[in-house]
């Protein structure tokens, strides 16, 4: 095999092109990683402490309160509640209690200009429903009839 100068120069050009492409691939991968990192740091979001305040949490909290009382109370080796460090009665129920307490704080927040998303009915859905039932037309008719009969208007 005899190498001609044209063939040798073509091989050198191809080798340089291959090196350029390899460097370009490395540069593109580096740029891609940098973009991903920059995007991840710019997407910092804060968690909403008032999210998840619903009837399911209220029921779970009530079951924990029924089973453990204060699930965050720390017990000693004998299983008695102590003032010192120890183990919590139930860690998952303690987290539910803390979330419930946070939801009760959220419920009382003032969101006058819709700056927060809060379930104002948290832990009082049933009370609100009972109050609404007392304000129906039928309830007013019963009350009015009783009041009119007491005032001497006769049977209605």
């Amino acid at each position: 095999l005899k190498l001609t100068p044209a063939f040798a120069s073509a091989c050198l050009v191809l080798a340089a092109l291959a090196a350029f492409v390899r460097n370009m691939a490395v540069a593109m991968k580096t740029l891609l990683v940098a973009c991903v990192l920059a995007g991840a740091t710019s997407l910092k979001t804060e968690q909403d402490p008032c999210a998840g305040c619903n009837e399911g949490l209220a029921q779970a909290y009530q079951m924990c309160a029924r089973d453990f009382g204060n699930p965050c109370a720390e017990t000693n080796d004998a299983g008695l509640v102590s003032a010192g460090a120890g183990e919590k009665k139930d860690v998952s129920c303690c987290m539910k209690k803390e979330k419930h307490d946070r939801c009760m704080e959220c419920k009382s927040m003032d969101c006058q200009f819709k700056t927060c998303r809060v379930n104002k009915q948290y832990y009082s859905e049933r009370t609100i429903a009972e109050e609404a039932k007392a304000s129906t037309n039928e309830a007013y008719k019963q009350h009015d009839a009783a009041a009119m009969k007491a005032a001497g208007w006769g049977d209605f």
Side-chain angles (χ1 to χ4, degrees), residues 43 58 81 90 99 106 110 153:
L43 289 178
V81 175
D90 189 270
K99 178 65 178 168
C106 290
D110 180 26
W153 288 85

Side-chain angles (χ1 to χ4, degrees), residues 37-58:
L37 290 176
T41 57
S42 69
L43 289 178
K44 289 182 183 174
T45 57
E46 292 184 24
Q47 291 184 350
D48 183 7
C50 298
C53 297
N54 54 31
E55 195 168 351
L57 173 67

